[in-house]
Amino acid sequence: MPQLQLNYINGRWTEPRSGQSFERENPATGECLGRFPDSGREDVAAAVEAAASAFESWRFTPAPRRAEILFGAAELMRERKEELARGVTVEMGKVLAEARGDVQEAIDMTYFLAGEGRRQSGLTAPSELPDKLCLTLRQPHGVVAAITPWNFPMAIPCWKLMPALVLGNTVVFKPSPYSPLSAANLVHILEEAGLPPGVLNLLFGGDQAGARLVEEPRVAMVSFTGSLEVGREIAAYCARYGKRVHLELGGKNAIIVLDDANIDLAIEGSVWSAFGTTGQRCTAASRMIVQDRVAPAFTEKLVARAEALVLGDGLDPATDVGPVVNRQQLEKIERYMEIGRDEGASIACGGARATGDGLDRGYFFEPTVFVDARPSMRVAQEEIFGPVTTVLTCSDLEAAIEINNGVQYGLVSAIFTSDMSKALRAMERLSTGIVYLNAGTIGAEVQLPFGGTRGTGNGHREAGQAALDSYSEWKSVYIDYSGRLQKAQIDRHAGDEARSG
Ligand code: NAD
């Protein structure tokens, strides 16, 4: 039996009190990658206790000092980028070049947030009264529960941990059971960079461990990235108990291709956005909304490119598309093939598990394009989260925008057109949190806010300086140095009344 990895609680690598564990396999080969704790109620309580105890001293550690530790962690990630990237590929399957991108995003985010150690600036404003100052301070919430999915096992934890930590929160981090290796790698780095005990705690485990963490009374904020269904459950719980909650949920993102677009460029953007990361990105383009006149040529080229993609182990440089993450996901994608056919859509390419050449050992699905589809069909409405996209046709820009906005999610839209006024009209009217003009749906950078509207979130944003607003709240401070009791709204106007009287 493989050796058990340990939880990290109060600065020590600790055996789970639950006595339970799970194994994770490489989704490309079926090889066992290790055994990890399945944390129980006592483990969750110990991690939260450690984070709660560390909070007072961490929040009063000067922010530039906190940031120095993050900066050191970014340096270590940079040195170990290749090793970290290989860890990502073997546990969740994305090809190595994309895994390097995942790690690079983690590095960029960590440097960016380390810079916030010397900013975190607020507001100073004039007072309506003499000898009085008005200013604001950011305050951390306390213990933050960071619950993450498996598809960006380095970047997404850094989106959450780094702003939480630089602002003075302490954290209990519960990664997905499908990406435990990267979580351990990241926490080892933060430990080595000098985070004091208790400031960051790592709890391995499945969905139940996540649910228990949310329910711990001393957890002040839950930062969750994952599916719509789980996010809504967590939000309902947090509303009932007055916890802050930050949600980043699913997507049903679209690329619009107008008649006047550079079609070859649109095809490049579409292939990358639909099939990159095996379609398992929250920003994946699972709908192509193509204007009637160019739809046949666009579809023909898209299908040819999808058919030519090479499936395989992400460590193999010849591979374009890796496996999907697990058996359940493979079966879910298969079910959508039936759902699509039953609704009347046709499969132009793909549509089945990929086998042969060693692919049977892993969870591979052929890149798939649905055609003859309508916007209301389930395959054009629901998040499938695999290498599957649906081509829809439209008569003009207005129809394209209506189709784009007609889903419950609101993460990303993209439009390819050479008409600047159409591009700018679309930019204003596409109702997603992120819009790309003449690029695919993938390519967010850490300095801009990241997140979606409607079912994709609850109004918060990751990344950029917007992230600071999720992990802190404002304290307004009034400093009166007049030496007398001055009453705002009363003393200021008392003089006016005397004058007018
Ligand atoms: P998931 O919702 O199944 O799980 C996410 C995390 O929540 C895991 O750590 C899981 O163990 C935990 N969890 C599950 N049930 C829980 C519960 N009841 N209480 C607390 N924690 C619980 O999602 P997944 O399959 O890991 O990830 C895929 C989903 O994530 C997709 O929907 C994708 O669109 C979304 N996603 C969104 C973004 C974004 O930024 N909007 C980014 C990446 C992924």
Side-chain angles (χ1 to χ4, degrees):
M1 201 188 268
Q3 204 191 339
L4 180 68
Q5 304 263 345
L6 302 176
N7 283 330
Y8 183 68
I9 298 178
N10 207 18
R12 293 185 39 206
W13 293 91
T14 312
E15 292 233 0
R17 297 183 193 178
S18 67
Q20 305 291 311
S21 63
F22 64 89
E23 290 185 1
R24 174 63 183 145
E25 64 189 332
N26 179 331
T29 63
E31 174 204 355
C32 178
L33 296 171
R35 205 153 56 87
F36 300 87
D38 191 3
S39 302
R41 200 173 291 285
E42 277 187 69
D43 303 300
V44 173
V48 174
E49 169 60 30
S53 304
F55 177 57
E56 284 302 306
S57 78
W58 182 244
R59 70 178 293 204
F60 292 120
T61 301
R65 170 66 197 128
R66 296 196 293 255
E68 277 168 21
I69 298 173
L70 301 195
F71 188 84
E75 295 283 277
L76 290 170
M77 281 189 248
R78 207 154 61 97
E79 279 167 28
R80 297 178 198 166
K81 181 172 170 183
E82 194 59 22
E83 174 193 332
L84 294 169
R86 293 180 84 83
V88 168
T89 294
V90 298
E91 70 177 351
M92 59 66 64
K94 69 175 73 166
V95 298
L96 198 51
E98 291 184 37
R100 291 189 190 113
D102 190 331
V103 178
Q104 188 58 48
E105 194 167 335
I107 295 169
D108 294 344
M109 185 63 82
T110 306
Y111 279 130
F112 181 81
L113 267 305
E116 291 303 324
R118 288 187 187 268
R119 281 190 292 267
Q120 300 185 23
S121 39
L123 179 73
T124 56
S127 168
E128 63 185 49
L129 292 166
D131 299 331
K132 190 177 171 192
L133 296 176
C134 303
L135 54 93
T136 59
L137 300 175
R138 284 194 185 272
Q139 300 285 288
H141 296 308
V143 178
V144 172
I147 301 178
T148 57
W150 46 265
N151 63 337
F152 278 82
M154 288 295 299
I156 291 180
C158 289
W159 289 5
K160 299 185 183 306
L161 268 46
M162 302 313 166
L165 293 172
V166 82
L167 286 157
N169 300 279
T170 54
V171 177
V172 179
F173 168 31
K174 208 296 286 174
S176 167
Y178 301 107
S179 58
L181 280 182
S182 297
N185 290 341
L186 177 61
V187 173
H188 275 293
I189 282 175
L190 282 157
E191 180 189 32
E192 202 177 322
L195 268 191
V199 170
L200 170 65
N201 305 274
L202 170 63
L203 274 183
F204 291 108
D207 302 352
Q208 209 176 29
R212 286 186 173 138
L213 179 57
V214 170
E215 287 165 15
E216 256 289 324
R218 286 166 300 176
V219 167
M221 173 186 174
V222 179
S223 179
F224 172 83
T225 299
S227 57
L228 175 74
E229 299 70 26
V230 176
R232 291 218 165 134
E233 251 177 62
I234 290 176
Y237 186 89
C238 290
R240 196 167 326 122
Y241 292 95
K243 293 173 190 260
R244 282 146 200 82
V245 60
H246 172 139
L247 301 175
E248 294 294 338
L249 311 176
K252 190 72 188 174
N253 313 297
I255 291 180
I256 297 171
V257 182
L258 298 185
D259 282 351
D260 58 21
N262 173 339
I263 294 296
D264 290 332
L265 180 64
I267 287 289
E268 289 304 322
S270 301
V271 170
W272 169 227
S273 304
F275 304 116
T277 321
T278 322
Q280 301 173 113
R281 285 185 183 234
C282 53
T283 54
S286 51
R287 296 182 296 157
M288 304 290 157
I289 306 171
V290 190
Q291 203 168 351
D292 292 325
R293 190 168 62 76
V294 287
F298 175 89
T299 307
E300 192 182 323
K301 288 186 179 190
L302 180 67
V303 167
R305 289 289 300 275
E307 283 175 332
L309 292 169
V310 176
L311 272 71
D313 187 335
L315 291 180
D316 180 344
T319 299
D320 295 314
V321 177
V324 300
V325 72
N326 55 32
R327 181 175 302 282
Q328 296 92 291
Q329 194 54 32
L330 190 66
E331 288 169 358
K332 176 179 167 189
I333 298 167
E334 276 186 314
R335 281 199 297 280
Y336 271 101
M337 298 301 112
E338 278 173 43
I339 291 169
R341 281 197 200 96
D342 289 350
E343 284 180 315
S346 323
I347 293 173
C349 66
R353 286 184 195 201
T355 51
D357 290 338
L359 298 181
D360 314 64
R361 292 184 297 148
Y363 305 119
F364 290 91
F365 201 86
E366 296 168 347
T368 299
V369 178
F370 275 112
V371 293
D372 304 326
R374 290 186 311 280
S376 59
M377 288 179 175
R378 287 182 63 189
V379 289
Q381 288 284 328
E382 298 174 13
E383 187 183 51
I384 301 173
F385 225 54
V388 180
T389 195
T390 298
V391 178
L392 302 162
T393 54
C394 64
S395 52
D396 56 17
L397 175 65
E398 303 315 316
I401 292 172
E402 195 179 326
I403 296 170
N404 180 84
N405 295 351
V407 292
Q408 65 174 329
Y409 297 106
L411 189 50
V412 191
S413 345
I415 179 164
F416 284 88
T417 174
S418 53
D419 181 330
M420 181 61 88
S421 58
K422 284 184 181 158
L424 295 181
R425 274 161 71 88
M427 178 190 79
E428 295 260 34
R429 288 156 196 227
L430 295 169
S431 64
T432 45
I434 304 169
V435 173
Y436 289 92
L437 305 181
N438 290 320
T441 52
I442 294 176
E445 299 182 30
V446 301
Q447 62 277 20
L448 286 199
F450 180 96
T453 59
R454 306 195 300 279
T456 296
N458 61 343
H460 289 281
R461 290 291 183 268
E462 310 252 38
Q465 290 190 313
L468 301 180
D469 294 330
S470 288
Y471 296 91
S472 64
E473 57 193 344
W474 290 113
K475 178 181 280 179
S476 299
V477 181
Y478 299 97
I479 304 167
D480 192 320
Y481 56 97
S482 68
R484 58 189 188 279
L485 180 66
Q486 303 195 87
K487 301 188 200 103
Q489 293 99 36
I490 295 174
D491 288 347
R492 161 73 180 78
H493 293 282
D496 297 348
E497 282 151 27
R499 270 194 298 280
S500 64

